[in-house]
């Protein structure tokens, strides 16, 4: 039964990969003498793209070209392969701008962006990593369903249970309080989504290597989900602390100084989640790529310098890779912890309940 469930999950994913064209094209950019451009290498990896570059063999790029879906106000809906706009090519008036986005020219000769619904590298990576996450958790659920006595699991099931219990007991329960269970599905999903995408981003070969959580659009959506959980399910005590906080009256009327500060806090909390995750993951990828580029930059500096830099680069790259594995977990942990803390603050008890609890604790 487990194999049948996994097949139903994997089959659409395999079909998607089969229909994506794998193209081989000669290099149309870069220095003619073979010198490496570290800035180009780093930004090509960090930024999103309309194709997934696999490798380069004898100057020929092997890439998976993804479908482009755009709607133009001038010519309507278009669907074509991204191979048609690769290396500066134009297709039906569409081409890539310097920022790597699909644009076209209007009647005044100005670049305008059509409505872009394309399947990009980051979007494909999210789909693949989500499939991996579904397979893992459905397999774990099937394992427990077949063993109603709940024996002590081992191997992969035991490792996943350890992570789940750690997040549930050490983060969610302690940060939110008595009604933590209603937020556990979202917070556990956010933790494992970030963690798995962080780990897959460290894998240098397909289907890994995509900078998913280093994309600010992804971290924005995650932070907005937390913001909705905070503000939609916040109780009346939470909103009272924002619009009518327990401060001297002159700080609330006639100028609502403290309410404005509190409202700014409503926005700043998810903003901190966006920047923290985005900056840490992007910086880690950039450092590893920069260290790798040192090997190629120092080739013309002589054998002695190049050999020394190769050793230096390899040692530091290995160290940074192990460090990034730790960072992958820490960033997922921190995002989940801050989200749980913010949600917990929105579930504050009323003042008289808190005072009663303080008196009770004092008596003990």
């Amino acid at each position: 039964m487990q194999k049948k469930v996994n097949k139903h999950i994997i089959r659409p994913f395999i079909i998607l990969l089969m229909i994506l064209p794998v193209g081989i094209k000669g290099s149309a950019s870069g220095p003619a003498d073979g010198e490496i451009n570290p800035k180009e290498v780093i930004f090509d990896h960090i930024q999103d793209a309309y194709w997934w570059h696999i490798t380069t063999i004898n100057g020929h790029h092997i890439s998976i070209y993804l479908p482009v879906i755009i709607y133009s106000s001038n010519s309507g809906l278009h669907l074509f392969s991204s191979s048609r706009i690769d290396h500066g090519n134009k297709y039906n008036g569409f081409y890539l701008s310097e920022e790597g986005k699909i644009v076209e020219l209007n009647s005044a000769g100005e670049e305008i962006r059509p409505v872009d619904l394309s399947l990009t590298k980051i979007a494909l990576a999210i789909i693949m990593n989500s499939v991996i996450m579904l397979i893992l958790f459905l397999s774990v659920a099937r394992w427990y369903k077949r063993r109603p006595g709940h024996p002590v699991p081992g191997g992969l099931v035991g490792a996943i249970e350890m992570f789940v219990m750690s997040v549930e007991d050490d983060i969610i329960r302690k940060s939110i309080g008595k009604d933590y269970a209603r937020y556990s599905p979202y917070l556990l999903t956010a933790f494992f989504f970030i963690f798995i995408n962080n780990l897959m981003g460290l894998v240098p070969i397909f289907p890994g290597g995509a900078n998913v959580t280093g994309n600010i659009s992804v971290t924005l959506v995650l932070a907005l989900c937390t913001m909705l959980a905070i503000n939609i399910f916040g109780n009346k005590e939470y909103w009272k602390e924002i619009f009518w906080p327990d401060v001297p009256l002159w700080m609330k009327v006639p100028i609502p100084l403290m309410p404005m500060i509190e409202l700014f806090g409503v926005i700043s909390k998810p903003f901190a989640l966006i920047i923290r995750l985005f900056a840490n993951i992007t910086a880690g990828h950039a450092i590893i790529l920069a260290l790798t580029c040192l090997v190629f930059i120092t080739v013309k500096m002589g054998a002695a310098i190049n050999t020394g830099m190769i050793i230096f680069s390899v040692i530091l790259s290995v160290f940074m890779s192990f460090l990034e594995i730790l960072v992958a977990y820490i960033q997922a942990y921190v995002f989940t912890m801050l989200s749980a803390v913010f949600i917990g603050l929105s579930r504050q008890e009323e003042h008289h309940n808190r005072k009663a609890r303080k008196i009770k604790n004092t008596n003990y």
Side-chain angles (χ1 to χ4, degrees), residues 165-201:
M165 295 306 296
S166 173
V167 175
E168 180 85 0
D169 295 336
D170 298 339
I171 302 177
I172 302 174
R173 189 196 301 265
K174 291 182 179 179
S175 300
I176 297 178
K178 59 182 180 181
D179 59 344
Y180 73 94
R182 66 188 299 187
Y183 302 101
S184 291
Y186 163 66
L187 292 172
L188 284 169
T189 301
F191 173 84
F192 283 101
F193 176 82
I194 295 171
F195 186 42
I196 290 174
N197 277 284
N198 287 349
L199 290 180
M200 290 299 293

Side-chain angles (χ1 to χ4, degrees), residues 89-110:
N89 296 327
K90 285 188 177 183
Y91 180 75
N92 287 344
F94 301 104
Y95 61 95
L96 290 180
S97 65
E98 293 182 359
E99 293 78 21
K101 302 298 182 182
I102 294 179
V103 295
E104 62 178 335
L105 298 178
N106 60 13
S107 57
E110 300 171 338

Side-chain angles (χ1 to χ4, degrees), residues 86-335:
D86 192 10
H87 299 304
N89 296 327
K90 285 188 177 183
Y91 180 75
N92 287 344
F94 301 104
Y95 61 95
L96 290 180
S97 65
E98 293 182 359
E99 293 78 21
K101 302 298 182 182
I102 294 179
V103 295
E104 62 178 335
L105 298 178
N106 60 13
S107 57
E110 300 171 338
E111 286 187 352
I112 58 171
R113 286 192 60 189
V115 177
D116 196 344
L117 303 174
S118 305
L119 179 67
T120 61
K121 177 182 176 180
I122 297 296
L124 178 60
I126 291 175
I127 294 172
M128 293 189 295
N129 296 338
S130 298
V131 169
I132 291 172
M133 188 165 67
L134 280 173
I135 292 173
L136 285 176
F137 282 97
L138 288 178
S139 299
V140 171
R142 183 63 56 189
W143 189 93
Y144 278 106
K145 190 173 182 180
R146 289 180 175 179
R147 296 164 178 82
H150 295 290
V152 178
L156 180 62
V157 176
I160 292 177
E161 180 183 328
M162 179 190 69
F163 279 114
V164 171
M165 295 306 296
S166 173
V167 175
E168 180 85 0
D169 295 336
D170 298 339
I171 302 177
I172 302 174
R173 189 196 301 265
K174 291 182 179 179
S175 300
I176 297 178
K178 59 182 180 181
D179 59 344
Y180 73 94
R182 66 188 299 187
Y183 302 101
S184 291
Y186 163 66
L187 292 172
L188 284 169
T189 301
F191 173 84
F192 283 101
F193 176 82
I194 295 171
F195 186 42
I196 290 174
N197 277 284
N198 287 349
L199 290 180
M200 290 299 293
L202 298 175
V203 178
I205 58 175
F206 182 83
N211 185 34
V212 175
T213 48
N215 185 288
I216 200 165
S217 299
V218 176
T219 60
L220 172 64
V221 173
L222 289 171
L224 285 177
C225 291
T226 297
M227 185 178 180
L228 290 175
I230 294 170
N231 295 292
I232 291 178
F233 301 106
N235 59 15
K236 61 180 181 180
E237 185 67 17
Y238 167 72
W239 290 109
K240 179 184 175 183
E241 289 292 334
I242 292 176
F243 292 106
W244 197 257
D246 189 13
V247 294
L249 186 63
W250 65 269
M251 300 185 73
K252 296 181 285 189
V253 290
I255 300 176
L257 179 61
M258 286 305 298
M260 287 191 295
I261 294 175
E262 293 293 337
L263 281 174
F264 178 77
V266 173
I267 301 172
S268 64
K269 288 174 183 176
F271 184 77
L273 296 175
I274 296 170
I275 300 302
R276 181 185 293 274
L277 182 59
F278 159 73
N280 281 282
I281 299 302
T282 300
H285 284 245
I287 290 172
I288 292 176
L289 288 170
L291 289 172
T292 305
C293 290
L294 282 177
V295 177
F296 305 96
I297 294 173
T298 57
V299 168
K300 292 186 176 181
M301 296 182 180
I305 295 178
N306 186 234
T307 302
M309 291 307 297
I310 288 174
I311 297 173
F312 173 77
S313 175
V314 169
I315 293 174
L316 266 184
S317 295
V318 171
F319 171 75
M320 283 298 302
S321 296
F322 281 107
L323 184 61
E324 281 299 300
I325 294 175
L326 179 60
V327 170
Y329 171 76
I330 291 174
Q331 290 306 316
Y333 186 94
V334 169
F335 185 96

